[in-house]
């Protein structure tokens, strides 16, 4: 008990050192000390938290999470295979801890995700013989899941990525098991059940490569159909798994404008900037697109050259300039991970590489990209 108390006090003091934690901005003569403080009047600043941030995290990491971010997303722990691995088994332990942590840190939680083709057990789609089930059975299982998961966190969560990655890049529907069983109707049902389970939660459609115009058009079409059916949908998430040079700021801006013009909020939901070679020009986050790791594909295992660090920081600066320009349209900008060592991009599209995607390094110290983003705000303050 004493150890726990000491730990809590230390984390609290650490967080105080990072920032005074005010979301209301700061006195005019004070420079903001954290991302959440600097951007408090613009949009929420988020991060994804995994098991290691929740359970095996250092005091320094806990303090950083508390000080820097105003919203957190569960990276994996609320996905179907984790939270509901068997028909009548729910694992609420870790998600409950995340909600408690966020509440202690005065942070919002954005739920991820209620209907996704990936990280979802086969039993959802199959009968006992392994054949695909009929539409009514799928909908009953989805409703049971969404009622239990979104219902449990009702009122404690800002919103949900209700449907994730239902589109191909050309704007057509992904041929997922959801789609094979129910066609596009599964999307409408997911929004209907989510709105019923948590009437005040913000409901989003979320996807990667949203800079591809045919894809953003598809997402806007989905959201418009949901709305035209009299169902609720608040926004569209652009994941933001991007590289140093691609996609262009212009394309990202066009997508932000398209979503906004159609009447939906925009969120940047999974931001990271890959600095490693991409010989096959793989973009987005399609887990099955991968290639083998080798020395050529992993050139910065012993450290990042300054020129690449500079380019990475400049890219973040350009992106945040764009986000600030459209702050009236953007509700949330979430980094996909806390620090470089935590990022999924160390293992995709090639396993075991050393990537440098985020704005905190492996020692949890702020990188040049962090300084650039902070300076942007102090310049405009
Ligand atoms: O970051 C997540 C990683 O830990 C998982 O191994 C991976 C498995 O699919 O999912 C990652 O998160 C994904 C997110 O849930 C949806 N968009 C793409 C993200 C990166 O794959």
């Amino acid at each position: 008990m004493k150890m726990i108390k000491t730990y809590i006090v230390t984390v609290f003091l650490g967080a105080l050192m990072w920032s005074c934690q005010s979301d209301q901005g700061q006195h005019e003569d004070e420079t903001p000390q954290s991302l959440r403080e600097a951007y408090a009047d613009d949009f929420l600043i988020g991060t994804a938290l995994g098991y290691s941030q929740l359970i095996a995290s250092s005091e320094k990491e806990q303090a950083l999470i508390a000080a820097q971010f105003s919203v957190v997303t569960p990276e994996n722990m609320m996905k179907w295979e984790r939270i509901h691995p068997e028909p009548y088994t729910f694992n609420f332990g870790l998600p409950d801890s995340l909600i408690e942590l966020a509440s202690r840190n005065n942070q919002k939680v954005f739920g991820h995700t209620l209907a996704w083709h990936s990280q979802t057990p086969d039993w959802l789609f199959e009968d006992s013989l392994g054949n695909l089930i009929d539409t009514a059975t799928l909908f009953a299982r989805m409703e049971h899941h969404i009622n239990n998961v979104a219902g449990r966190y009702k009122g404690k969560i800002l919103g949900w990525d209700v449907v994730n990655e239902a589109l191909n890049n050309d704007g057509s529907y992904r041929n997922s098991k959801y789609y094979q069983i129910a066609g596009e109707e599964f999307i409408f049902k997911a929004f209907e059940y989510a709105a019923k389970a948590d009437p005040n939660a913000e409901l989003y459609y979320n996807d990667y490569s949203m800079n591809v115009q045919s894809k953003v058009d598809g997402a806007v079409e989905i959201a418009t159909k949901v709305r035209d059916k009299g169902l609720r949908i608040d926004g569209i998430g652009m994941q933001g798994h991007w590289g140093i040079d691609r996609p262009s700021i212009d394309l990202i801006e066009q997508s932000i404008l398209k979503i906004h013009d159609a009447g939906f909020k925009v969120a940047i939901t999974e931001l990271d900037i890959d600095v490693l070679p991409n010989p096959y020009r793989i973009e987005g986050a399609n887990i099955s697109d991968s290639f083998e790791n080798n020395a050529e594909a992993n050139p910065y295992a012993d450290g990042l050259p300054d020129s690449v660090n500079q380019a990475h920081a400049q890219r973040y600066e350009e992106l945040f300039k764009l986000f600030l320009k459209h702050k009236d349209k953007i509700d949330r900008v979430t980094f996909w991970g806390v620090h470089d060592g935590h990022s999924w991009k160390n293992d995709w599209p090639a396993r075991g590489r050393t990537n440098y995607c985020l704005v905190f390094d492996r020692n949890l110290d702020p990188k040049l990209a962090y300084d650039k983003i902070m300076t942007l705000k102090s310049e405009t303050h």
Side-chain angles (χ1 to χ4, degrees):
M1 191 61 195
K2 194 166 170 234
M3 269 179 67
I4 295 175
K5 269 192 193 152
T6 315
Y7 178 77
I8 291 172
V9 168
T10 317
V11 167
F12 179 70
L13 288 176
L16 269 180
M17 277 167 61
W18 268 102
S19 118
C20 66
Q21 275 208 37
S22 160
D23 270 354
Q24 309 304 317
Q26 58 293 311
H27 301 297
E28 271 172 26
D29 55 341
E30 282 177 19
T31 315
Q33 296 299 307
S34 70
L35 292 170
R36 74 183 283 180
E37 197 183 314
Y39 285 85
D41 296 333
D42 306 311
F43 33 73
L44 293 169
I45 294 276
T47 187
L49 300 183
Y51 174 87
S52 52
Q53 283 67 50
L54 228 53
I55 302 296
S57 182
S58 64
E59 286 170 12
K60 184 171 178 184
E61 187 173 17
Q62 285 300 310
L64 183 154
I65 292 166
Q68 296 290 339
F69 304 105
S70 46
V71 60
V72 296
T73 302
E75 184 176 5
N76 289 299
M77 66 192 77
M78 287 190 186
K79 292 173 179 172
W80 197 310
E81 71 173 10
R82 299 281 176 96
I83 205 168
H84 189 183
E86 303 288 341
Y88 296 101
T89 307
F90 287 93
N91 293 330
F92 289 128
L94 271 184
D96 285 1
S97 317
L98 178 102
I99 302 268
E100 282 160 26
L101 177 84
S103 154
R104 283 201 300 276
N105 289 341
N106 187 26
Q107 289 160 326
K108 299 193 185 304
V109 177
F110 206 87
H112 176 81
T113 166
L114 296 172
W116 188 27
H117 66 279
S118 185
Q119 291 185 277
T120 300
D122 286 341
W123 64 256
L124 166 61
F125 307 108
E126 294 174 358
D127 63 18
S128 54
L129 298 173
N131 300 315
L132 288 186
I133 51 177
D134 61 23
T135 306
T137 312
L138 176 70
F139 291 166
R141 290 178 185 179
M142 286 172 64
E143 187 169 18
H144 174 245
H145 175 79
I146 293 174
N147 272 341
N148 274 280
V149 175
R152 181 180 184 88
Y153 300 115
K154 177 178 164 183
K156 296 183 177 166
I157 227 166
L158 172 64
W160 280 98
D161 290 327
V162 178
V163 176
N164 198 40
E165 302 172 9
L167 291 168
N168 298 314
N169 278 6
D170 64 3
S172 63
Y173 284 115
R174 179 191 290 274
N175 193 26
S176 66
K177 287 187 180 167
Y178 278 110
Y179 188 75
Q180 288 169 35
I181 295 170
E184 64 178 358
E185 199 62 27
F186 88 87
I187 297 174
F188 310 136
K189 287 294 177 194
F191 279 95
E192 181 188 323
Y193 303 147
K196 261 195 227 149
D198 190 350
N200 294 319
E202 292 182 0
L203 307 181
Y204 270 66
Y205 174 79
N206 188 48
D207 217 324
Y208 59 79
S209 294
M210 293 286 278
N211 45 283
V212 177
Q213 296 304 299
S214 45
K215 193 164 201 178
V216 76
D217 290 344
V220 165
E221 201 177 315
I222 286 179
T224 307
K225 281 186 185 170
V226 172
R227 189 176 55 194
D228 289 351
K229 283 180 177 290
L231 299 167
R232 196 160 60 73
I233 176 165
D234 300 281
I236 297 184
M238 302 172 58
Q239 291 185 5
H241 299 297
W242 291 321
I244 284 191
D245 307 316
R246 292 156 65 92
S248 71
I249 295 289
D250 276 358
L251 281 177
I252 298 170
E253 182 167 36
Q254 279 182 43
S255 299
I256 293 171
L257 292 171
K258 276 185 179 171
I259 296 169
H260 175 78
D261 290 349
F264 304 104
K265 295 180 183 180
V266 181
I268 310 298
T269 55
E270 302 182 13
L271 184 59
D272 45 33
I273 301 300
D274 195 329
V275 302
L276 293 181
N278 186 6
Y280 303 100
R281 296 210 151 201
I282 295 172
E283 290 184 17
N286 198 16
I287 289 297
S288 55
D289 298 340
S290 60
F291 61 90
E292 232 166 79
N293 185 5
N294 56 36
E296 213 177 309
N298 189 26
Y300 313 133
D302 298 326
L304 191 65
D306 187 52
S307 58
V308 185
N309 193 32
Q310 295 274 353
H312 176 260
Q314 195 186 329
R315 175 70 158 159
Y316 266 110
E317 183 180 26
E318 282 164 9
L319 283 167
F320 271 77
K321 263 189 197 159
L322 178 74
F323 301 155
L324 281 172
K325 179 175 170 195
H326 295 296
K327 63 182 184 181
D328 59 324
K329 309 170 185 69
I330 297 177
D331 261 35
R332 184 166 36 102
V333 176
T334 286
F335 297 91
W336 203 238
V338 175
H339 61 90
D340 285 342
H342 164 202
S343 168
W344 73 294
K345 295 257 44 187
N346 294 304
D347 286 310
W348 188 87
R351 284 198 80 79
R353 298 199 294 175
T354 307
N355 214 330
Y356 300 80
C357 294
L358 297 167
V359 300
F360 295 98
D361 67 19
R362 285 169 169 77
N363 296 320
L364 300 162
D365 292 324
K367 294 164 61 178
L368 189 58
Y370 175 90
D371 298 343
K372 293 269 187 206
I373 301 175
M374 290 296 285
T375 308
L376 260 188
K377 276 306 298 184
S378 53
E379 277 168 359
T380 55
H381 198 65

